Amino acid sequence: MSVPELLAPAGELDKLRTCLVYGADAVYLGGRGGNLRAACRGFGPEELRLALSEASAFGARIYYCLNSIATERDLRALPARIEDAAEAGVHGFIIADPGVLRLARRYAPGVEVHLSTQANSSNSESMAFWAGQGVGRVNLARELDCREIHDICRARRNMEQGPGGRPMELEVFVHGAMCLAVSGHCLLSAWLNARSGNQGRCTQPCRFEYRALESPLVVEERTRPGEPLWRVEQGEDFSSFWATSDLCLLPWLGWFAANGVDAIKIEGRMKSAGYLAHVVDAYRVFLDALRAGAGSENPAAHGRTNLLRDCMTELYLSATRPLDSGFFLHGRRRNLTREFIVREAPPTRPNRSGEGELPELGRQVLARVAEPLGPGAWLVDLRGNWERARDVELMLPGLARPLLAGGAYGLENQRGEAVKMLGNGVRAVFRCEEPGLAPGMFIRAAPVRGRAFWCTVTL
């Protein structure tokens, strides 16, 4: 059983470095236009070359997003953008639009092409078509369930070969925000705010908060009287009701490996570097456990009986919305808040809709390590308010979380003066003797001791 490639998002250079430090096999990113995250800073030509150089040091690959649905005006800038990325040495383009694909084949014939989930590929004949157009990998539609993915994996064995005589590769999104529309083709943002999601300018109105003028507001469909389709109960403020969950398929990574899926993808070029550290680390550790399990789909086969619990705790406590299995389980046992049985639940707060609860982010990221200053001394960039007396954890790759009690480490301002507290956004000097600490890693507030949750998952 081969383990899928772990593909992580990077909206800017710092996030790329986070993904590399915590174990991504590949990173996808975009330039200053032509992709579906126009609000990201993105990578200019020089930053792209630097990104490729740093990724090479980690043995990682870089895929360049050109996945917006291009208008006629957009076509003008594409040839130069394609040539610049190819010259920089990107390992692949991620494309959704057939016209953009045609230009990529013309201006960068030596760079492999991956088909974006925006193309909504849902069957093996579609994959065969794209193989004939020079596509080497397809990111499957997000609406597919596990049976449909399994059938496509089986059908691939008898499919025509892709470019270079290699079998078509399969990629699946496994973690992050889910879109209300078919593979992202949503018109809500264009309709409400004149900003098209298909141009990378989505304002995410599905995550806006709305208020019922009469409460509760219940909407039913004509042919199903008495069966509520949408229900909005007014709390103290506004409520979100369209897209209230995030995707999480970590417990089923063994299934993806056993079915021959070549890559698993994490959503989140707009997410913070601290969020990416938690998520990439958890998925990397679980994939490594699968590999070490000598073909078993169960990481416990080689002694990591608490691994699923540990990984899911990281994801659960870094989430801003409930975690859900999306379409993967075709309607059975979908929501991981039901699937994962909570024991000694962590501190909670109401979610935005006022319905249910989410974990309080007790594992708050406090700082990112910038560079070494000498033995046991590190320059750090603060991402939160840091009290010197606070217990902290070092976020080392491999889910290693050494605990440092308040008083067991030093915290100084840049003048070398010991301080009791520093605020978000400043640089400071952190002193500790942990040998595993390195630039790009994070320090977070220690969680409440003795609080955890465990689960059993069946498929």
Side-chain angles (χ1 to χ4, degrees):
M1 181 174 66
S2 61
V3 171
E5 173 186 84
L6 177 58
L7 177 55
E12 57 190 33
L13 196 57
D14 275 353
K15 298 177 184 180
L16 170 100
R17 289 167 174 159
T18 296
C19 294
L20 296 175
V21 164
Y22 286 96
D25 296 309
V27 177
Y28 65 100
L29 50 81
R32 302 284 164 78
N35 67 88
L36 289 183
R37 291 295 182 270
C40 285
R41 185 174 185 277
F43 291 74
E46 294 304 316
E47 285 181 314
L48 182 58
R49 290 182 176 84
L50 180 58
L52 282 153
S53 174
E54 295 192 15
S56 177
F58 283 86
R61 294 162 64 85
I62 297 289
Y63 304 137
Y64 190 82
C65 294
L66 293 168
N67 56 343
S68 64
I69 306 302
T71 65
E72 195 66 25
R73 183 177 299 175
D74 296 328
L75 296 179
R76 302 170 191 168
L78 281 170
R81 186 169 287 133
I82 290 168
E83 289 180 330
D84 288 346
E87 183 182 349
V90 297
H91 299 91
F93 292 121
I94 298 175
I95 293 174
D97 189 306
V100 178
L101 170 60
R102 181 178 167 89
L103 290 174
R105 296 291 81 210
R106 183 187 309 165
Y107 290 99
V111 180
E112 65 182 60
V113 174
H114 298 177
L115 195 70
S116 169
T117 189
Q118 301 296 119
N120 196 38
S121 297
S122 304
N123 59 74
S124 59
E125 286 297 325
S126 175
M127 290 175 54
F129 169 81
W130 290 114
Q133 305 304 310
V135 172
R137 177 187 292 184
V138 169
N139 188 313
L140 295 177
R142 299 197 196 193
E143 295 76 44
L144 298 178
D145 63 36
C146 59
R147 293 172 180 171
E148 293 163 332
I149 296 172
H150 171 75
D151 291 344
I152 291 174
C153 290
R154 291 190 62 183
R156 177 177 57 166
R157 301 170 189 170
N158 301 318
M159 204 179 72
E160 297 177 16
Q161 300 297 295
R166 295 182 293 122
M168 173 69 81
E169 294 184 355
L170 292 177
E171 180 178 286
V172 178
F173 266 106
V174 296
H175 197 91
M178 294 185 287
C179 185
L180 182 72
V182 176
S183 288
H185 292 294
C186 182
L187 297 177
L188 279 174
S189 181
W191 179 257
L192 291 177
N193 299 313
R195 291 179 55 179
S196 171
N198 298 317
Q199 301 287 315
R201 302 174 64 236
C202 185
T203 57
Q204 294 188 316
C206 62
R207 301 201 185 279
F208 289 1
E209 296 175 343
Y210 299 85
R211 180 166 60 193
L213 297 181
E214 296 182 9
S215 182
L217 172 64
V218 180
V219 179
E220 64 180 21
E221 196 266 329
R222 179 188 293 270
T223 63
R224 300 174 178 85
E227 298 181 23
L229 176 64
W230 300 109
R231 182 183 181 94
V232 182
E233 294 192 18
Q234 184 56 41
E236 295 182 0
D237 205 348
F238 291 76
S239 302
S240 58
F241 65 96
W242 264 326
T244 56
S245 298
D246 280 351
L247 180 67
C248 176
L249 297 180
L250 180 138
W252 296 279
L253 293 187
W255 184 94
F256 287 107
N259 279 274
V261 171
D262 299 282
I264 57 166
K265 191 171 186 178
I266 296 168
E267 182 275 338
R269 278 190 283 157
M270 299 291 290
K271 295 286 191 179
S272 70
Y275 169 89
L276 292 175
H278 284 83
V279 175
V280 174
D281 198 21
Y283 275 85
R284 175 77 276 153
V285 166
F286 205 83
L287 287 172
D288 287 347
L290 289 174
R291 180 182 288 112
S296 170
E297 294 186 39
N298 180 10
H302 70 291
R304 298 289 298 266
T305 55
N306 293 326
L307 183 61
L308 180 58
R309 179 202 67 189
D310 294 343
C311 290
M312 284 304 304
T313 299
E314 292 288 303
L315 299 177
Y316 184 70
L317 291 176
S318 64
T320 55
R321 285 177 288 272
L323 299 177
D324 192 282
S325 57
F327 290 95
F328 184 71
L329 296 184
H330 47 82
R332 300 189 291 121
R333 302 185 301 276
R334 284 185 52 203
N335 197 310
L336 290 184
T337 58
R338 301 188 203 108
E339 192 74 30
F340 287 79
I341 303 169
V342 176
R343 303 294 187 195
E344 291 190 82
T348 57
R349 59 180 170 83
N351 65 18
R352 287 185 173 182
S353 69
E355 300 174 0
E357 294 182 328
L358 290 174
E360 187 68 54
L361 297 181
R363 301 189 168 213
Q364 176 190 7
V365 171
L366 295 176
R368 178 178 181 171
V369 178
E371 59 184 81
L373 296 177
W378 303 89
L379 185 65
V380 295
D381 294 316
L382 268 63
R383 305 294 175 95
N385 297 325
W386 191 344
E387 296 182 40
R388 168 70 178 75
R390 194 170 195 174
D391 294 350
V392 301
E393 285 184 342
L394 308 181
M395 291 181 61
L396 307 186
L399 288 188
R401 301 293 185 259
L403 176 67
L404 299 179
Y409 60 86
L411 188 62
E412 305 168 357
N413 61 28
Q414 285 191 275
R415 297 187 297 273
E417 300 166 339
V419 293
K420 293 183 178 180
M421 182 173 180
L422 287 170
N424 181 26
V426 304
R427 282 200 152 187
V429 177
F430 174 67
R431 295 188 180 275
C432 80
E433 298 297 331
E434 171 57 51
L437 202 59
M441 297 179 189
F442 284 84
I443 304 165
R444 70 185 184 191
V448 177
R449 292 291 104 189
R451 293 189 179 272
F453 76 99
W454 63 274
C455 60
T456 55
V457 177
T458 57
L459 178 61

